[in-house]
């Protein structure tokens, strides 16, 4: 397909958030889904939108694309499929309402260009998922978390082959060693990886005693995830190759870590902008004042003009959060309100009564 700009394909700007990108892809996937849209060219538009989403939804690939364009993302320089190195299972699993939760990812892999050459596609290991919570302060600078992950790794005795030492493998009888079988999926007749040999074309005749032929063993590992500054709530960080090992030595899956951001007692976040509220006395609102505002960086001075009404919103530029992929920081919006004290002292009461009389006289004038 032509190398159109990925942001243009999805119809979003370069500063689009992860949720904006996800929403844009959902609309296009529904519009050009191959089971729904039989118009000429719809399947190509579906592929194009899926490729754009797969790149822009991955923080590492998006950063490489922003810096180097198509040459910076996996699969472009070598002339192969643009989906090389992309976990399509992870992409489609986020849209069960669009693609169907029981749909085999092999169908989409063939549709998107993995199956047509008759070659055998190695089945990767299962991708794993975890979740961590960080504070709003950590969004400013980025953070690290160490996760205890239980995963399947290559079996030591058989080196991941699944075969007992000294034994051999045989051609798979299901696919006759081709690694692929023909299946009918709706309106499409496609080739998918053989379910018995997982696309390898070979089967184990004498399984390894340690792993019972799976080629894998369960291991608990501590894995450190680096969380970039400016990340949004609900975003995922992908750790390539940190999922389960593939069967019979095939590549490992990935680990996807979903980031949750805890509530802050002072600031409310909207994108990269922050919102806070500050009380004013009646005299400050009427006469004006210079006040100190607490920010994520420390403190800032702000001028309150005379006659400021309660609820007025002030903007402190670049006092918000950093953007995930660089660029100008967000802003801090300060909403002021007139604070009415619970108790009024004697002198204050006298002054307020005198003020009330003046206001009464003015209203009657």
């Amino acid at each position: 397909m032509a190398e159109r700009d990925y942001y243009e394909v999805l119809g979003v700007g370069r500063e689009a958030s992860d949720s904006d990108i996800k929403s844009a892809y959902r609309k296009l996937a529904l519009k050009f889904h191959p089971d729904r849209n039989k118009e000429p060219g719809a399947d190509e538009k579906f592929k194009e939108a899926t490729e754009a989403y797969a790149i822009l939804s991955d923080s590492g690939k998006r950063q490489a694309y922003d810096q180097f364009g198509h040459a910076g993302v996996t699969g472009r320089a070598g002339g192969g499929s643009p989906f090389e190195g992309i976990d399509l299972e992870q992409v489609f699993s986020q849209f069960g309402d669009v693609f169907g939760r029981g749909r085999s990812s092999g169908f989409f892999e063939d549709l998107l260009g993995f199956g047509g050459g008759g070659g055998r596609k190695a089945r990767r290991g299962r991708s794993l998922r975890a979740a961590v919570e960080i504070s709003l302060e950590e969004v400013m600078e980025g953070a690290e978390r160490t996760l205890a992950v239980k995963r399947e790794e290559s079996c030591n005795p058989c080196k991941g082959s699944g075969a007992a030492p000294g034994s051999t493998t045989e051609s798979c009888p299901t696919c006759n060693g081709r690694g692929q079988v023909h299946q009918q999926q709706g309106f499409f007749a496609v080739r998918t990886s053989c379910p018995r040999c997982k696309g390898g074309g070979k089967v184990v005749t004498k399984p390894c005693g340690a792993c019972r032929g799976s080629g894998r063993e369960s291991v608990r590992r501590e894995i450190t995830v680096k969380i970039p500054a400016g990340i949004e709530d609900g975003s995922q960080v992908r750790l390539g190759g940190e999922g389960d090992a593939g069967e019979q030595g095939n590549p490992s899956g990935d680990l996807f870590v979903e980031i949750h951001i805890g509530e802050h007692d002072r600031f409310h976040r909207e994108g990269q902008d922050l919102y806070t509220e500050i009380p004013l006395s009646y005299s400050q609102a009427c006469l004006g004042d210079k006040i100190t505002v607490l920010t994520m960086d420390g403190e800032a001075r702000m001028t309150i003009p005379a006659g400021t009404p309660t609820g007025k919103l002030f903007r402190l530029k670049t006092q918000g959060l950093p953007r995930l992929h660089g660029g100008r920081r967000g802003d801090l919006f300060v909403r002021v309100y007139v604070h009415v004290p619970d108790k009024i002292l004697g002198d204050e009461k006298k002054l307020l009564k005198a003020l009330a009389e003046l206001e009464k006289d003015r209203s009657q004038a």
Side-chain angles (χ1 to χ4, degrees):
M1 64 182 68
E3 291 186 344
R4 287 179 61 201
D5 180 77
Y6 287 142
Y7 294 99
E8 178 187 340
V9 169
L10 296 181
V12 298
R14 288 189 169 268
E15 294 186 353
S17 66
D18 291 341
S19 60
D20 292 336
I21 291 171
K22 187 173 183 179
S23 177
Y25 174 66
R26 181 187 296 276
K27 292 177 183 178
L28 292 174
L30 283 169
K31 183 177 181 180
F32 298 115
H33 191 292
D35 284 349
R36 294 183 174 91
N37 193 328
K38 305 304 176 186
E39 295 179 3
D43 56 342
E44 288 301 319
K45 291 180 179 179
F46 174 76
K47 295 177 189 178
E48 189 177 48
T50 301
E51 178 185 344
Y53 177 74
I55 296 299
L56 298 184
S57 63
D58 184 296
S59 60
K61 287 186 173 64
R62 182 177 179 181
Q63 185 174 11
Y65 177 73
D66 288 344
Q67 286 184 281
F68 306 109
H70 289 284
V73 293
T74 304
R76 305 304 285 189
S81 168
F83 297 98
E84 290 174 12
I86 293 173
D87 187 349
L88 287 173
E89 178 187 353
Q90 161 64 16
V91 172
F92 293 126
S93 68
Q94 300 177 57
F95 302 93
D97 57 327
V98 177
F99 300 109
R101 300 190 183 279
R103 173 76 89 173
S104 167
S105 63
F107 165 72
F108 292 105
E109 289 168 356
D110 285 299
L111 176 65
L112 295 171
F114 283 120
R120 297 167 186 161
K121 178 182 180 296
R123 283 295 182 184
R124 302 178 65 205
R126 182 172 61 102
S127 291
L128 303 178
R129 288 163 180 80
V132 298
E133 181 172 305
I134 65 173
S135 67
L136 196 60
E137 285 82 3
E138 288 175 308
V139 176
M140 285 289 295
E141 302 294 335
E144 283 190 3
R145 290 289 189 275
T146 299
L147 308 176
V149 176
K150 187 177 181 181
R151 67 185 184 189
E152 299 292 318
E153 296 187 358
S154 292
C155 172
N156 254 344
C158 67
K159 307 303 180 186
S161 69
S167 66
T168 59
T169 58
E170 291 183 354
S171 178
C172 175
T174 301
C175 63
N176 295 320
R178 291 190 297 268
Q180 294 182 334
V181 293
H182 288 273
Q183 290 185 356
Q184 187 74 28
Q185 295 275 1
F187 294 97
F188 297 90
V190 297
R191 281 180 291 188
T192 59
S193 293
C194 174
R196 180 167 181 181
C197 66
K198 306 296 190 270
K202 299 288 185 180
V203 291
V204 174
T205 57
K206 187 178 180 182
C208 168
C211 64
R212 298 181 181 179
S214 69
R216 301 176 297 175
E217 57 183 344
S218 183
V219 178
R220 184 174 293 275
R221 298 287 185 194
E222 287 192 347
I223 300 174
T224 299
V225 54
K226 293 185 177 181
I227 303 167
I231 197 166
E232 295 192 22
D233 185 65
S235 297
Q236 291 185 334
V237 176
R238 172 180 170 270
L239 282 72
E242 295 290 0
D244 283 349
E247 292 184 359
Q248 300 176 9
N250 286 338
S252 297
D254 301 326
L255 171 62
F256 293 89
V257 182
E258 186 169 344
I259 309 301
H260 298 289
I261 300 170
E263 294 290 332
H264 199 278
D265 58 359
R266 183 180 301 116
F267 300 108
H268 167 69
R269 178 183 187 178
E270 292 188 11
Q272 308 315 122
D273 295 329
L274 296 174
Y275 289 78
T276 190
E277 292 187 346
I278 292 182
L280 299 178
S281 67
Y282 182 67
S283 61
Q284 284 178 311
C286 290
L287 303 176
D289 198 2
K290 289 187 176 181
I291 64 173
T292 298
V293 179
L294 292 177
T295 70
M296 294 296 291
D297 293 321
E299 296 180 347
R301 295 288 287 172
M302 189 176 80
T303 299
I304 303 296
T308 294
T310 190
K312 184 174 177 61
L313 196 64
F314 294 87
R315 176 185 179 189
L316 298 180
K317 294 182 179 180
T318 68
Q319 291 294 322
L321 297 173
R323 298 189 183 279
L324 181 61
H325 301 287
R328 179 183 176 278
R329 276 178 58 173
D331 301 323
L332 172 62
F333 291 89
V334 182
R335 190 180 301 278
V336 298
Y337 63 93
V338 176
H339 173 68
V340 179
D342 296 330
K343 294 182 180 180
I344 301 175
L345 301 177
D347 291 341
E348 292 174 333
K349 186 177 290 188
K350 290 178 183 179
L351 291 172
L352 287 172
K353 286 182 176 180
L355 176 61
E357 290 296 324
L358 290 173
E359 291 174 336
K360 182 179 179 181
D361 293 342
R362 184 169 63 180
S363 65
Q364 293 175 349

